[in-house]
Amino acid sequence: MKRKLGHSTVAIHGAPARQGDWSPVIPPVYQSSTFTNPVGSGEEVMYSRYGNNPNQVALAAKYALLEGSEAAIFVSSGMGATALAHLAVLRPGDHLLSSGWIYGGTRRLFDEEFTRLGIEVTYVNPDQPRQWRRSVRKSTRAIFVETPTNPVMRVIDLTPMAQIARDGGLALLVDGTFASPINFRPLEHGADIVITSATKYLNGHSDVIAGAVAGSTSIIEEVTRLMMLWGQSIDPHAAWLVERGMRTLDVRMQRHNENGMAVARWAESRDQIVRVHYPGLPSHPDYAYATSVLDGFSGMVGLELKGGARAAEKFLKKLKLITHAPSLAGVESLISEPRFTSHRRMTEEQRIRQGIPDGFVRLSCGLENAEDIIADLEQALS
Ligand SMILES: *Cc1c(COP(=O)(O)O)cnc(C)c1O
């Protein structure tokens, strides 16, 4: 087919092919560790740790189409994807430049594990884009950025990092979990490798832990080689579930985007909420840039409640529809306090500097009717 297919069509069909008579419309789960192979064949065997189980292969192909990459691979968690993507481009003695605004688990991976492997990491404040070039060393091999960021939803301009990466032959890795390929495709903005926690929007039903890496064929071959040796393959049933979830990715994102916007606008009109962090609002520091690069602003909204920690606790205890739980991006609305989850290892002082004072709650708007989400928030505020 020559016509470029829309995201929703791709999310449902991958690359559409006519089915033979009497074939299942939905691919079966190949819940098999191993597969028969021809006697005397020297070809690589089929084995579910190798990432060549049909469920793993179909899922990866579909995701690659959505990101616009040559290839992709799924592994058993977002952290697994982050670790392998970096290990594919870094060696002991190498230097990694990372944004300072990253997922807590990623920060620990860099600080506790990468340093142990002899990989040095320097953190850059993305608010000072000139710092990127100043921090490059002879040994710098890669740049890592997460965008949009958790939980203040900063949308980072990748242009300076992409330029440095191109000039110096470095790899630019981007964790795009919070946007999903429906809202933002990092490869279109100069990234070489996309990392995503498929646990979040890709799967979208809060019932699977999974991760993915997308990029060039050679990068994905290296990630696959590492996966075969370090052992993070995705289980066939988990792969089947993520593929099922992805069929509705585009329509879910439309609703997440609508609900996020509706809740953010409502929240800005409330006196008990001091500040709303949502890149689709003109009050957000990245509004202009976000509007130019994102196809939607997602369902993630940061709310700063008047009255700090006590007010947040009272508010959270009154919620009925919205569930108090970490994680995000499922069909159900979830809310959490970063000071107890992603940012618990920081002091209050450090959190304030990152724009996350006590009283900050992070809301993941699900797919419920926006009026019902807002009504629940409203009754909990009063
Ligand atoms: C959740 C998350 C991860 C880690 O993913 P897991 O699937 O929990 O391992 C990494 N990056 C971001 C931005 C996340 O939100």
Side-chain angles (χ1 to χ4, degrees):
M1 235 182 253
K2 294 231 173 52
R3 264 189 69 246
K4 195 172 179 330
L5 300 171
H7 291 317
S8 204
T9 309
V10 171
I12 294 165
H13 296 284
R18 222 193 119 72
Q19 302 286 335
D21 288 338
W22 312 115
S23 38
V25 169
I26 300 305
V29 190
Y30 291 84
Q31 196 68 40
S32 185
S33 57
T34 189
F35 294 81
T36 59
N37 62 327
V39 175
S41 165
E43 271 185 78
E44 183 172 276
V45 299
M46 272 174 83
Y47 186 57
S48 294
R49 176 163 45 82
Y50 293 180
N52 56 15
N53 173 303
N55 295 116
Q56 298 165 333
V57 171
L59 176 62
K62 186 184 270 192
Y63 176 59
L65 286 170
L66 287 173
E67 290 289 1
S69 65
E70 277 176 18
I73 178 96
F74 276 73
V75 294
S76 55
S77 71
M79 283 305 296
T82 305
L84 293 185
H86 283 88
L87 292 176
V89 295
L90 295 166
R91 297 287 171 271
D94 286 349
H95 175 236
L96 169 69
L97 264 188
S98 171
S99 160
W101 303 343
I102 57 174
Y103 180 70
T106 307
R107 176 90 192 207
R108 287 189 59 193
L109 174 72
F110 292 169
D111 291 347
E112 296 173 27
E113 294 304 306
F114 282 19
T115 46
R116 224 162 53 98
L117 295 174
I119 296 164
E120 275 195 274
V121 187
T122 303
Y123 296 98
V124 172
N125 178 352
D127 257 343
Q128 293 160 8
R130 269 191 243 141
Q131 260 195 29
W132 291 103
R133 202 172 281 280
R134 273 193 225 123
S135 309
V136 173
R137 303 180 194 166
K138 271 212 178 73
S139 57
T140 308
R141 291 285 169 271
I143 301 177
F144 173 71
V145 180
E146 183 181 310
T147 182
T149 67
N150 173 37
V152 290
M153 299 296 291
R154 294 297 302 267
V155 183
I156 300 171
D157 184 355
L158 298 177
T159 316
M161 299 73 126
Q163 188 66 47
I164 295 165
R166 219 172 311 125
D167 294 348
L170 318 179
L172 176 58
L173 301 98
V174 176
D175 180 337
T177 299
F178 269 52
S180 92
I182 301 301
N183 285 345
F184 184 64
R185 290 160 302 281
L187 298 179
E188 293 173 1
H189 300 270
D192 300 296
I193 300 172
V194 187
I195 298 164
T196 195
S197 167
T199 308
K200 316 293 168 51
Y201 283 122
L202 284 197
N203 178 60
H205 293 73
S206 307
D207 52 9
V208 177
I209 299 283
V213 183
S216 67
T217 306
S218 63
I219 286 284
I220 299 307
E221 273 172 7
E222 179 61 5
V223 172
T224 306
R225 190 186 72 81
L226 293 169
M227 180 196 71
M228 288 166 74
L229 299 176
W230 291 74
Q232 296 93 331
S233 65
I234 187 171
D235 181 78
H237 185 235
W240 187 89
L241 282 171
V242 175
E243 213 218 316
R244 165 196 249 251
M246 270 169 65
R247 283 182 213 140
T248 54
L249 178 64
D250 186 62
V251 283
R252 281 189 287 108
M253 288 316 296
Q254 304 310 327
R255 182 66 165 258
H256 283 299
N257 293 342
E258 282 167 27
N259 283 358
M261 187 65 99
V263 167
R265 285 203 175 120
W266 164 85
E268 264 204 329
S269 73
R270 281 292 162 276
D271 292 341
Q272 301 99 315
I273 300 171
V274 196
R275 195 161 167 208
V276 184
H277 300 260
Y278 191 70
L281 294 177
S283 59
H284 190 278
D286 304 320
Y287 173 71
Y289 178 70
T291 307
S292 71
V293 294
L294 301 184
D295 294 331
F297 307 103
S298 91
M300 301 305 299
V301 185
L303 302 173
E304 262 174 64
L305 301 181
K306 194 183 268 178
R310 290 268 314 270
E313 196 178 318
K314 272 170 72 180
F315 170 76
L316 292 171
K317 283 188 173 157
K318 278 190 176 169
L319 291 169
K320 295 193 182 89
L321 178 72
I322 302 165
T323 306
H324 181 241
S327 198
L328 61 129
V331 297
E332 64 293 305
S333 292
L334 296 182
I335 197 162
S336 60
E337 274 184 280
R339 71 191 175 110
F340 291 126
T341 57
S342 52
H343 294 68
R344 94 172 155 258
R345 281 161 181 277
M346 291 184 183
T347 63
E348 190 186 340
E349 185 82 80
Q350 287 171 318
R351 285 195 300 266
I352 289 171
R353 243 181 287 130
Q354 293 217 355
I356 316 162
D358 290 354
F360 190 111
V361 294
R362 186 194 73 180
L363 174 61
S364 168
C365 297
L367 305 183
E368 302 93 342
N369 296 91
E371 313 84 82
D372 296 328
I373 300 172
I374 290 169
D376 196 35
L377 295 167
E378 185 83 66
Q379 65 80 23
L381 275 184
S382 63

